[in-house]
Amino acid sequence: MARGVEVRVENVSKVFRDRGVTQALRGVSLTVRKGELFSILGPSGCGKTTLLRILAGLLKPDEGRVFFDGVDVTDVPAYERPIGMVFQDLALFPHLTVYRNVSFSLEIAGWPSDRIERRVREVLQLVRLPYEEFAHRKISQLSGGQQQRVAIARALAREPKLLLLDEPFSHLDYKIRIELIHELKRLQRETGVTTIYVTHDRNEAMLLSDRLAVMKDGVVQQVGTPEEVYRSPANAFVASFLGEVNIIPAKAVNGLIKLGDLEISLERLLPGLGNYTGDVLLLLRPESISLTPPGGDGALRFRVQLAEKVFLGPYTKLLFSGWGDIRLEALAPTREAAPLEPGSVVDVYVEASEMRVYTD
Ligand code: ADP
Ligand code: MG
């Protein structure tokens, strides 16, 4: 099988001028490694599809360059790029068979029919659609998940070195979606094709990716592994896009913040802020708040009152109110949360190393 390419995007910008002026991409730079499974994650309208279309060669950037394995392909048209694409609206031919949908691009490319048949068998095998059962069915006789598999088989037929997927599973049920995510991961490992997966769904991106880029308003906010981006988000937007998070605004005076009866030295949270005076944001994941004092002396203690309790099975969500009008959301094992009743005043604990501080 074909190995993947390295994809490098350098300072790419794109403005649309047909309905007013929209800056879809602003100075986007990133590198996707050879054979990597990479996601582009961000809310609707942040420029994901625009970036993917530029990678595909369907759209020219206003500024910036795109390189495949170090070769500038910015001016290379889509049909000359070694890519396969899967979009949300599959653009399969519904009245044609699975076989014809997959073989179509190979016929256009002038492959001999015996080679085409071999390849169709191979890719249907790869997406786990047994040839004997599925090759001669019409697309309209398949389930949504099976149609997606055909779309992936078709994208892989010509052994692309780069597979581009734009929210391909977003119209499917949760269970099928998760199943296809795992399938995609498996076949990406099997083929080694560099894969770029666009989604607005953080769970998909976390499940799937070796690394991901988080985008907002046409700007890449952060690139990293799912764990890096979740644990050390570059800013409050990334933090809240990747999961539940408590965002606590505070004022620092000479490197000290006061939260209720608690004084926190900023230097402890982020070295170099020992003398900082001004507004800060403290970020704290719900699962970082614990009901029992952790070992060691690195923990901050907050006195809070339980306002509300939401049973989630193995975990229980606890909504606390604290100093001023601050609300703190915690996620605790249900066993530990069981004795707490709304109205109880308790101490909760946070390791200083789990708290992130931002000064802008
Ligand atoms: P996403 O895929 O993240 O939802 P898009 O890349 O589709 O975002 O769009 C980014 C921005 O560019 C949006 O504001 C969108 O309305 C705008 N846009 C995209 N394509 C066009 C176009 N062909 N003409 C005008 N505006 C566009
Ligand atoms: Mg889109």
Side-chain angles (χ1 to χ4, degrees):
M1 281 302 272
R3 295 295 313 272
V5 283
E6 180 205 71
V7 178
R8 189 152 53 85
V9 175
E10 240 179 53
N11 205 24
V12 160
S13 293
K14 181 73 192 176
V15 177
F16 292 108
R17 298 180 190 281
D18 37 344
R19 291 174 259 136
V21 176
T22 308
Q23 175 125 31
L25 297 174
R26 303 162 195 260
V28 168
S29 295
L30 49 86
T31 300
V32 179
R33 297 169 192 149
K34 217 182 253 294
E36 189 167 43
L37 217 177
F38 191 94
S39 293
I40 298 170
L41 173 66
S44 176
C46 74
K48 304 181 296 296
T49 295
T50 303
L51 180 56
L52 213 66
R53 290 177 68 207
I54 287 173
L55 293 177
L58 297 170
L59 199 63
K60 280 250 170 79
D62 298 332
E63 274 174 56
R65 313 301 299 173
V66 175
F67 301 85
F68 288 177
D69 278 344
V71 177
D72 189 337
V73 295
T74 318
D75 299 316
V76 175
Y79 59 87
E80 286 178 11
R81 296 191 188 192
I83 55 171
M85 280 183 283
V86 182
F87 294 111
Q88 186 186 347
D89 53 347
L90 301 169
L92 293 169
F93 303 114
H95 55 287
L96 293 185
T97 60
V98 168
Y99 189 101
R100 286 298 314 282
N101 271 276
V102 176
S103 67
F104 192 75
S105 69
L106 305 178
E107 288 163 24
I108 301 265
W111 288 30
S113 59
D114 56 333
R115 187 171 161 218
I116 291 180
E117 192 191 323
R118 242 182 299 130
R119 185 60 187 153
V120 173
R121 280 181 185 276
E122 264 171 28
V123 289
L124 289 183
Q125 169 79 24
L126 201 56
V127 298
R128 302 274 202 267
L129 289 175
Y131 184 93
E132 311 306 334
E133 194 181 341
F134 288 100
H136 300 293
R137 275 208 222 170
K138 287 186 179 164
I139 296 300
S140 53
Q141 298 167 325
L142 303 177
S143 73
Q146 289 165 344
Q147 293 184 16
Q148 273 306 344
R149 288 169 193 259
V150 176
I152 294 172
R154 182 183 59 176
L156 290 172
R158 295 184 64 185
E159 302 194 21
K161 294 182 171 166
L162 175 60
L163 181 61
L164 302 171
L165 304 106
D166 193 353
E167 316 233 13
F169 308 142
S170 55
H171 61 296
L172 298 171
D173 292 347
Y174 179 75
K175 200 164 158 261
I176 306 278
R177 226 164 70 205
I178 299 303
E179 190 183 303
L180 283 170
I181 293 270
H182 286 291
E183 285 283 292
L184 178 61
K185 208 164 168 167
R186 173 190 59 76
L187 72 86
Q188 194 272 340
R189 294 293 183 247
E190 274 176 45
T191 57
V193 61
T194 305
T195 300
I196 302 181
Y197 185 94
V198 157
T199 181
H200 65 274
D201 182 316
R202 69 190 184 211
N203 294 321
E204 288 191 354
M206 300 276 269
L207 258 178
L208 192 69
S209 319
D210 296 321
R211 291 188 308 145
L212 54 91
V214 183
M215 283 184 68
K216 181 194 174 205
D217 297 338
V219 177
V220 172
Q221 307 287 312
Q222 189 171 7
V223 177
T225 64
E227 189 172 343
E228 282 164 0
V229 173
Y230 184 84
R231 294 185 61 85
S232 303
N235 53 44
F237 171 80
V238 173
S240 53
F241 205 75
L242 267 284
E244 301 299 319
V245 66
N246 293 291
I247 300 181
I248 307 163
K251 283 205 182 315
V253 178
N254 229 349
L256 278 185
I257 29 182
K258 277 181 103 136
L259 297 174
D261 61 343
L262 188 70
E263 240 182 28
I264 306 175
S265 145
L266 276 184
E267 187 72 26
R268 242 178 111 184
L269 303 180
L270 191 65
L273 287 184
N275 297 313
Y276 182 79
T277 294
D279 293 333
V280 296
L281 287 179
L282 299 173
L283 264 61
L284 187 54
R285 297 276 182 209
E287 67 274 21
S288 301
I289 298 175
S290 75
L291 299 175
T292 49
D297 55 1
L300 307 167
R301 183 179 53 80
F302 297 93
R303 179 143 299 176
V304 290
Q305 184 171 35
L306 183 60
E308 206 184 320
K309 208 170 146 176
V310 183
F311 175 70
L312 299 173
Y315 290 93
T316 293
K317 188 193 279 191
L318 300 168
L319 293 169
F320 294 109
S321 54
W323 56 98
D325 53 3
I326 294 292
R327 307 259 296 170
L328 266 191
E329 185 181 314
L331 193 64
T334 292
R335 214 176 326 107
E336 281 178 34
L340 295 186
E341 291 303 332
S344 342
V345 174
V346 291
D347 287 337
V348 297
Y349 303 86
V350 176
E351 295 276 10
S353 60
E354 296 282 301
M355 201 176 239
R356 300 277 171 268
V357 56
Y358 300 84
T359 54
D360 51 8

